[in-house]
Amino acid sequence: RNIYYACGLTHAFSGDIREGLGKITDIVRSGQVCAIGETGLDYSRGVDPEAVLRQKNLFEEQMLIARMSGLPVIVHTRDAAADTLAMLDRYPDVRGVAHCFTGDAGFAAALVERGWMISFSGIVTFSSAGDLRNTAASLPDDCLLVETDAPFLSPVPFRGQPNLPSRVVHTAALLAEIRGVSLEALAALTAENGRRLFGRNGAACGVSS
C-alpha cells in the first residue's frame, strides 16, 4: 500500500523491443506506475554504432510513452551527456530525473536549465568523488533528489557491501553537510521534490527492466 513503481527498458535490454514496449504500455494503464524508467544512454563500455542506435531507439520510444502518459522519466546516463541532452531537447514537455548522477557540473547545469532533477546515490560519499560533491553542493534546492540504487553503491561506511534502502540516510547526511543544512531539512526538501516529480504522497519507486 502506498508503494508505486517505475517500469522501463534499460539501455542494456536485449529482448524484443516491440514486445517490451507493449508490456510497459499495459503496465502504465494499471495506474500504479509513478515513472517510466530507468532508460537512457550508457557509452561507458564503448560506442558501437549499432548498440548506440538501439539505446537511442529504446530511450526515444520511452520518452514517447512518457509524453503520452504524462509520467516523468528516470534517466540513466553515463559518458553520454551530449546525446542525452539532445534527446531531452526533442521532448521539452517531458520531465524527469537523472538518476545516480555522476556527470560534471556543466552537465548538471544543462539538466537544471531544462527543468530536470538530479539524484545522488552513495557514490557522492566516496573519497574520490570530490568534484561530484561540489556539483551536489551547488544545485538549486528544487532540483535535488537522493537515492540508494540498491542493491548497488552502498555509501560510506558500507562501501563494497550490498546496499539497503535504509542506508540512504548516510548519503542524505553527506548531502546535508556539504549543503550546510540539517539532515531533517535535507530530508524534507528531497521528500517534497520527490512528491512534486512523481505526483504521489511519499511513494517509494523501484525500477523494473
Side-chain angles (χ1 to χ4, degrees), residues 3-186:
I3 296 178
Y4 297 83
Y5 56 89
C7 65
L9 306 178
T10 73
H11 67 279
F13 177 73
S14 59
D16 183 274
I17 292 178
R18 288 295 113 195
E19 181 180 355
L21 292 170
K23 289 181 178 179
I24 291 175
T25 301
D26 290 342
I27 293 170
V28 166
R29 293 194 183 106
S30 74
Q32 293 296 303
V33 178
C34 66
I36 302 299
E38 65 181 271
T39 183
L41 304 173
D42 191 322
Y43 300 165
S44 63
R45 297 186 179 181
V47 287
D48 172 73
E50 185 175 343
V52 167
L53 180 60
R54 180 179 174 87
Q55 288 189 36
K56 287 182 176 179
N57 287 340
L58 278 167
F59 191 7
E60 181 149 30
E61 291 288 351
Q62 290 171 91
M63 291 291 282
L64 282 167
I65 293 174
R67 170 184 278 175
M68 290 185 292
S69 65
L71 291 171
V73 181
I74 299 170
V75 168
H76 170 105
T77 175
R78 288 186 66 190
D79 298 338
D83 282 354
T84 297
L85 293 172
M87 184 68 74
L88 301 190
D89 286 343
R90 289 171 60 86
Y91 297 90
D93 52 339
V94 175
R95 291 292 180 267
V97 55
H99 103 99
C100 196
F101 186 77
T102 56
D104 61 23
F107 187 22
L111 289 166
V112 168
E113 182 181 1
R114 288 161 173 79
W116 279 63
M117 293 191 185
I118 298 175
S119 182
F120 295 92
S121 68
I123 290 175
V124 78
T125 71
F126 298 174
S127 60
S128 58
D131 288 344
L132 189 62
R133 283 191 288 276
N134 290 337
T135 297
S138 65
L139 283 183
D141 283 350
D142 60 357
C143 295
L144 181 69
L145 288 173
V146 62
E147 64 177 275
T148 64
D149 203 38
F152 310 109
L153 302 177
S154 272
V156 173
F158 303 101
R159 186 176 181 181
Q161 301 178 25
N163 205 356
L164 301 170
S166 60
R167 291 178 180 167
V168 72
V169 67
H170 296 277
T171 304
L174 183 282
L175 289 170
E177 179 182 351
I178 63 176
R179 292 174 67 86
V181 299
S182 68
L183 175 58
E184 292 76 13
L186 191 285

